[in-house]
Each structure stands twice: as structure tokens, then as C-alpha cells.
Amino acid sequence: MTNSPSTDTAGFNAPRAGARGWLALVVLMLPVLLVSVDNTVLSFALPEISLALAPSGAQQLWIIDAYPLVLAGLLVTMGTLGDRFGRRRMLLVGATGFAAVSVLAAFAPTAGLLIAARVMLGFFGAMLMPSTLSLLRSIFQNRDQRRMAIAVWASAFSAGSALGPIVGGFLLEHFGWGSVFLIAVPVLIPLLIAAPLLVPESRDPNPGRIDPISILLSMAAMIPVVYAIKSFAVDGPTLIGAAWALGGIVMGVLFVRRQLRAPIPMLDMALFRRGTFSGAILVNLLSVVALVGFLYFVPQHLQLVLGMSPMLAGLALVPGMIAVIVAGLTVVPISRRVPPHIVVPAALAFSVIGYILVAFTTEGHGVMPLVLAFVVLGIGIGAAETISNELILSSAPASKAGAASAVSETAYELGAVLGTAVLGGIITAFYRGALVIPEAIPADAAATARETLAGAYTAAQQLDEPLRSSLWTAAAAAFDSGVTITALIGAALVVIAAVIAAATLRVARPR
């Protein structure tokens, strides 16, 4: 790998976008907000879905997993097709399909049909995110403006993640579970009206032929790997999970070999030889692992240990999301003067401090230390992701912006899966190891309590005092001890990301 300078150094002197470009940015934020809200809102509706459709345990898992599996498997394909057929066209097709299938999902009469709808949402969702990021590359040719636009893009993603619990809590208090899917319609209709008027079309002028084998190999690589990670998180190490992972890795190797031999590859593997591109991808991946891992265990502490409602727990996380947004916007003028191999590690140092605060202030200190920890964590994540996303786009030729954006989005999806699977799996393992079931607790309640913190809460509610209090006190203490270890592991992951950034993100300075 070489630390070659960015291919877009001259972009600092490129023409600047006018008012129409910024209006186009506003339009492109609509699908970003929608997809990020959708990432977090479904978990709040799952209890009502379970009551209404009575899915089996396996069906309940597939309701959650079908969307990210299909999405992750198709991101590179859809990004490449956008380069060929037009990124705006892919955005409009994806938005139309996503809105229509969202209506079907909202009124699905059975669990099987809801799973099928989630599969189709993943298919159309894979068209949305790479298109939005790659269109920014063509609209904002000036790198200073592009950094600000990407900061807004990343901020919209973070804002949507924060709005998910709040929107979900509000909708479920006033409407049925289908409302969490119907929110796609009022968001995407303005996009379908305004995008043809404000967003210019862009594509690769020399796209080459479509390679169906590469498309199949990319899906055969991503889907088994993501499924294996989720399987390890739920069931621990198993032969089936290992077989899925091995199969995905083999398909990935075959995909890479085919790209290296093709005259015009579906994904230009030469991009990964650029230190800035590969380094920025890894920084994105590890940053999202850290963020999603935090958002996995902290809401459980807020809702179950501290007894907050879902909406109040969501509101407690809002200051941290605001910090992500502010940091992403603030780092843009700083990045004009400070090179990324310095500013990104400095930003990630804040995230390390945030995780350390979580590790040593969770137990017995109430909600404010967690709010402060998320603010500090958010400062680092917001600044680092803005710079790394801009470097990913700038390191790739403009004609390959869709493919580069798809790789960036794949890192996001893998980071989200790993954040839940790895950090979530670690905290679950420590919880089970640390939980000491008090004497006189019935065997069935003890078995339920050992599974998860939520299981312990449910089991405790079915007991009389003082058994209820004794079981719940033991479960809360075991969970918080796991939070401490998991937070320290999260801090270590961010340190690794900072080291990678310092070693790889050296680009040519603008004159």
C-alpha cells in the first residue's frame, strides 16, 4: 500500500457550486435521514409486531436481519450500476421502490410477508445511500465546499440515528406498528418531485460492460460474512457460522481475482492501494463499530437499569448526536489548515476519552455522566467521519464515485453489524459470566435471566418481593460490570483507528 497523494488535489481550485447546489444537498438529505431513522426505529416496534403477527423466533430474527443482509450484499453492485446508468436515476428508482414497499410492509398481514418486504427494502435501500454520496462528488467539485457538504451528509445520518428512538417512541404511543414504515412516504415524495429539478445527472462516461459474475460474487461474499457475524453474536462460535464466514471469504477472494484480471473491472482494486482510500475506509469502519457498540449497550442501561422510557432515553442521547453534527461542521475549516493524518487522530482522541468515561462512571452515577460521555465520543466520531468520507471520494476518480461511495457505505454497514455483534456479544458474555442468581429464584426465572438483561427484567417482574429486587439488583450489577469491560475494548478500537489514520491519511497539501 502506498501513501500516494489524493487524485483530487486540484479540487481546491475547482469551480464553486451556487445556490442550486446547496438546494440539491437539502434534497439529498431526505433519503439519508430516512435510512438512518430506519436503522434504529424498528427495534422499538418489534414488541408490537410480535404481538400482532406472532412470528417464530427465527422469523423475528429475519424481520431484523433481512434488510441489512440484502443491503450490505448489494451496495457495491448498486454503486457500480449508478456509475453506469446514472446516479440520479438510481436514486429515483430506489426512492420510488422504497416508498412503495414501505406501504406494503406497514400493512403486512403475516410475518413471512413482512420479511419479504424487508428484503425488498434492502434491495431499494442499496440504491439510495451510494447515490447520495456520489452525487455530492459531482455537484460539489470544489473540495472545500465538498467537505462542508459531506459534513452535512454525515450530520443528517447522525441526526436520523438520534431521531429514531424519539420518532419511534412517539409513533408507537399514538399509532400502530405499521407507522414506523409509513414515515418513508412523506419523506420520499418531496425527493421524487425536487430531485429531477435540482439534482444534475452524472455517470461514468466509459463504464464498460456489465459483469453478472462479478455482481453475483460480490453478493456471495458480503451476505455470508454479514450473516456469519450475526450468527456468532447470537449463538456464539458454531460450525455453521464458520462455514458461512469461510464461504464468504472464498467468494471475496474470487471477486478480487476477477476484478484484477478484468480490463474494466466492476470495482477498481487499485483504489485500495492508495493509503488515503484504504485508511479512510478502515477509520470509517472502526468509528462506526465504536458508535454502534455504544448505542447498543447504553440505551439498555438507560431504559432497564435507570428505568427511563424509550423516548426519554432517546432524548438523553440527543446532546451526543448534536455534538456529532457540530463537530462534523466545525472540522471543515480546521481541515483546510491541518492535514488529515493529524486532525483525524486528534479527533478520535475525544472518542477514546468518551469511552473511558463510560467505563468508569456507568455504575451508580446516574444519567449525566453517560450524556457527557456521548457528547465527547460524538465530537471525535463526527469530525473523523467527515474527513474520512471526503478522502474516500477525493481519492477515487470522479467517474468511479458511485463505486467508491458504495465501498464507504459497505464499511458503514459492516461497522454497524460488527458494533452490535462484537461489542454486543462481549457485553452479553460478561453479563452471563458475572450474573450470580440469588438463592430461592425459580429455575425457569433463573434461565430467562441468564439470557439477557431484558430477560432478567421480564423474569423479575413475575416474582414477588423480595425475590424481584434481589434478582434485578444482581442482573443490573452484572450488566454494568460488562459495560466497563466493553467500553475499554471500544476505546482500544478507536485507538487502533487513530493509529491507522496517522499512518495512512497523508495527502498533498493545497497551495
Side-chain angles (χ1 to χ4, degrees):
M1 182 185 298
T2 61
N3 288 320
S4 57
S6 168
T7 62
D8 196 32
T9 302
F12 289 101
N13 300 317
R16 300 177 70 85
R20 181 174 177 176
W22 295 107
L23 289 173
L25 174 63
V26 173
V27 173
L28 292 176
M29 291 308 97
L30 294 174
V32 176
L33 278 169
L34 175 65
V35 171
S36 57
V37 167
D38 194 63
N39 284 341
T40 53
V41 74
L42 181 65
S43 59
F44 288 86
L46 201 58
E48 288 195 23
I49 292 174
S50 298
L51 291 174
L53 303 183
S56 65
Q59 285 179 320
Q60 185 167 306
L61 285 175
W62 279 111
I63 289 172
I64 299 172
D65 292 345
Y67 173 80
L69 283 173
V70 175
L71 184 72
L74 287 173
L75 279 170
V76 172
T77 296
M78 294 304 184
T80 305
L81 292 178
D83 287 339
R84 178 184 179 88
F85 295 112
R87 294 146 191 157
R88 186 184 69 180
R89 178 178 297 176
M90 292 295 287
L91 177 67
L92 295 176
V93 172
T96 302
F98 200 95
V101 177
S102 293
V103 175
L104 296 178
F107 297 102
T110 65
L113 289 176
L114 180 57
I115 293 169
R118 291 280 289 168
V119 169
M120 294 306 298
L121 286 173
F123 177 83
F124 289 111
M127 300 181 187
L128 296 177
M129 294 302 285
S131 297
T132 60
L133 192 55
S134 57
L135 283 167
L136 294 184
R137 177 71 161 79
S138 58
I139 294 171
F140 298 96
Q141 299 178 34
N142 182 278
R143 282 192 70 177
D144 280 336
Q145 285 190 318
R146 191 189 310 147
R147 282 178 177 171
M148 181 60 72
I150 290 174
V152 175
W153 180 91
S155 298
F157 200 89
S158 300
S161 300
L163 287 172
I166 301 170
V167 170
F170 175 82
L171 290 175
L172 294 171
E173 284 182 10
H174 296 85
F175 307 101
W177 62 265
S179 60
V180 302
F181 294 104
L182 289 177
I183 58 175
V185 178
V187 173
L188 292 177
I189 287 178
L191 168 72
L192 294 171
I193 296 172
L197 302 175
L198 295 172
V199 179
E201 183 61 282
S202 68
R203 57 170 58 88
D204 184 350
N206 300 298
R209 65 182 180 86
I210 296 177
D211 185 0
I213 296 178
S214 289
I215 292 174
L216 291 174
L217 285 174
S218 69
M219 294 176 62
M222 287 301 306
I223 292 177
V225 169
V226 174
Y227 183 79
I229 293 170
K230 287 181 171 291
S231 173
F232 291 151
V234 174
D235 303 321
T238 63
L239 288 177
I240 294 177
W244 279 104
L246 180 61
I249 292 170
V250 171
M251 292 298 105
V253 171
L254 294 176
F255 174 79
V256 171
R257 290 182 62 186
R258 187 171 182 84
Q259 304 316 298
L260 292 173
R261 295 176 178 179
I264 303 179
M266 173 178 157
L267 180 62
D268 186 2
M269 304 309 296
L271 288 173
F272 293 93
R273 290 197 287 268
R274 298 181 180 274
T276 50
F277 185 84
S278 295
I281 291 292
L282 289 173
V283 168
N284 257 6
L285 174 69
L286 292 172
S287 296
V288 174
V289 170
L291 179 62
V292 172
F294 181 96
L295 293 175
Y296 175 82
F297 59 75
V298 168
Q300 293 186 68
H301 177 87
L302 294 175
Q303 293 181 56
L304 296 175
V305 178
L306 299 184
M308 300 175 70
S309 68
M311 185 172 290
L312 284 177
L315 288 172
L317 297 176
V318 168
M321 289 300 179
I322 293 174
V324 174
I325 295 169
V326 172
L329 298 175
T330 304
V331 79
V332 174
I334 297 173
S335 65
R336 294 172 188 156
R337 297 171 176 83
V338 184
H341 71 279
I342 295 176
V343 71
V344 173
L348 291 174
F350 282 91
S351 297
V352 174
I353 295 170
Y355 257 123
I356 291 174
L357 284 173
V358 173
F360 295 106
T361 63
T362 299
E363 202 166 349
H365 289 83
V367 67
M368 288 311 298
L370 287 176
V371 173
L372 175 62
F374 193 31
V375 168
V376 179
L377 179 81
I379 291 172
I381 298 297
E385 287 190 354
T386 295
I387 300 300
S388 59
N389 274 311
E390 196 277 332
L391 286 173
I392 290 168
L393 282 185
S394 298
S395 297
S399 60
K400 302 297 182 185
S405 302
V407 174
S408 176
E409 289 303 316
T410 302
Y412 267 95
E413 289 301 318
L414 277 178
V417 172
L418 287 169
T420 302
V422 176
L423 295 185
I426 288 171
I427 195 171
T428 300
F430 273 98
Y431 165 77
R432 291 172 179 171
L435 178 61
V436 178
I437 302 293
E439 295 182 4
I441 299 295
D444 56 343
T448 302
R450 285 193 181 94
E451 288 299 314
T452 61
L453 182 65
Y457 180 82
T458 302
Q461 299 309 304
Q462 298 171 356
L463 301 175
D464 296 326
E465 292 290 355
L467 293 180
R468 177 189 303 168
S469 295
S470 62
L471 176 59
W472 181 240
T473 299
F479 183 81
D480 282 348
S481 68
V483 167
T484 300
I485 301 297
T486 307
L488 292 175
I489 294 172
L493 291 175
V494 179
V495 169
I496 294 171
V499 172
I500 292 171
T504 62
L505 302 187
R506 295 178 181 272
V507 300
R509 296 289 302 277
R511 290 182 293 178

